[in-house]
Amino acid sequence: GRSGKIDNILRWKQEMERSGFKADSFTYGAIIHAYAKSGMFEEAEEWVARMRDAGLRRGMSIYGSLLQGCANMGDGERAESWLQRMREDGVLPDARAYSAVISAWAAKGDIPRMDDILERMKIDRQRPTAYVFTALFEGCAASTDVDKRAKSKEYYELMQRLRIRPTKITMAAYERSQEA
């Protein structure tokens, strides 16, 4: 199971240290990724703190794991918090990072929060991708907002204006957002 995989990673880290190897960013990243993927955020956060205390830089891969975990759990608040901490660490969020935060809010159908993140992308001059639009359409489909179809159409028109080629998955999400 999930905890077995985490236990194996922790054993591996202990064995490395017993052999005289010092844990590096990769080691910490594997542990953080496993916890985040399992939705065990307190544990992941503890390892991020340990990584910081060890003087190791937390880069895009660490934050990507945390943000994707938040997206998988539909935890928009936590995702936004990690996005902020990412900035504080001097790591500029990329389109994948923003996509994960939008996906976290999309799980709850929170269109205003998805719009906030899309606006931050624009401010940071990050170009949305088909994945971002897929998340936006999924959020519209999940929303209880009476104007969700119109909002989804607005996102679709933005995607066209930006000349972003939708994937089949993006188009399927758009269709769901128009049916819902």
Side-chain angles (χ1 to χ4, degrees):
R2 289 179 179 171
S3 63
K5 200 178 272 187
I6 294 168
D7 290 342
N8 287 339
I9 292 170
L10 293 174
R11 259 194 306 280
W12 166 66
K13 178 187 177 290
Q14 289 171 342
E15 286 176 31
M16 280 180 54
E17 289 175 343
R18 268 197 298 274
S19 300
F21 291 100
K22 188 173 179 181
D24 60 8
S25 295
F26 175 79
T27 309
Y28 282 95
I31 295 166
I32 292 164
H33 177 78
Y35 279 127
K37 187 174 181 182
S38 299
M40 300 170 72
F41 293 111
E42 286 78 21
E43 292 85 350
E45 290 169 4
E46 178 186 325
W47 281 92
V48 170
R50 288 182 188 188
M51 188 176 186
R52 183 192 61 237
D53 293 346
L56 297 171
R57 185 177 181 284
R58 289 142 326 274
M60 186 60 75
S61 64
I62 297 296
Y63 287 107
S65 292
L66 294 162
L67 292 169
Q68 192 55 54
C70 293
N72 293 345
M73 297 297 167
D75 192 340
E77 292 286 344
R78 191 179 301 260
E80 282 203 51
S81 171
W82 278 114
L83 195 67
Q84 181 59 37
R85 285 162 79 179
M86 183 178 191
R87 291 174 180 287
E88 290 166 3
D89 260 357
V91 180
L92 182 66
D94 64 5
R96 280 194 325 216
Y98 282 111
S99 180
V101 179
I102 290 170
S103 291
W105 288 119
K108 292 185 170 68
D110 194 329
I111 293 172
R113 297 301 282 269
M114 294 184 328
D115 274 345
D116 290 346
I117 302 303
L118 189 61
E119 183 60 28
R120 273 193 241 163
M121 276 189 87
K122 185 178 174 183
I123 292 166
D124 283 348
R125 296 182 176 169
Q126 289 294 319
R127 181 175 165 78
T129 62
Y131 298 109
V132 169
F133 284 99
T134 300
L136 293 167
F137 297 144
E138 293 289 358
C140 289
S143 178
T144 57
D145 190 310
V146 294
D147 296 324
K148 66 183 183 176
R149 284 184 200 87
K151 189 64 182 181
S152 176
K153 187 152 180 52
E154 186 182 312
Y155 291 142
Y156 184 81
E157 290 166 358
L158 174 62
M159 182 177 70
Q160 286 184 317
R161 276 194 314 278
L162 294 173
R163 290 187 165 89
I164 294 168
R165 176 184 278 155
T167 66
K168 289 179 183 177
I169 295 169
T170 305
M171 290 311 298
Y174 175 69
E175 290 167 16
R176 280 192 300 281
S177 73
Q178 292 300 302
E179 296 166 359

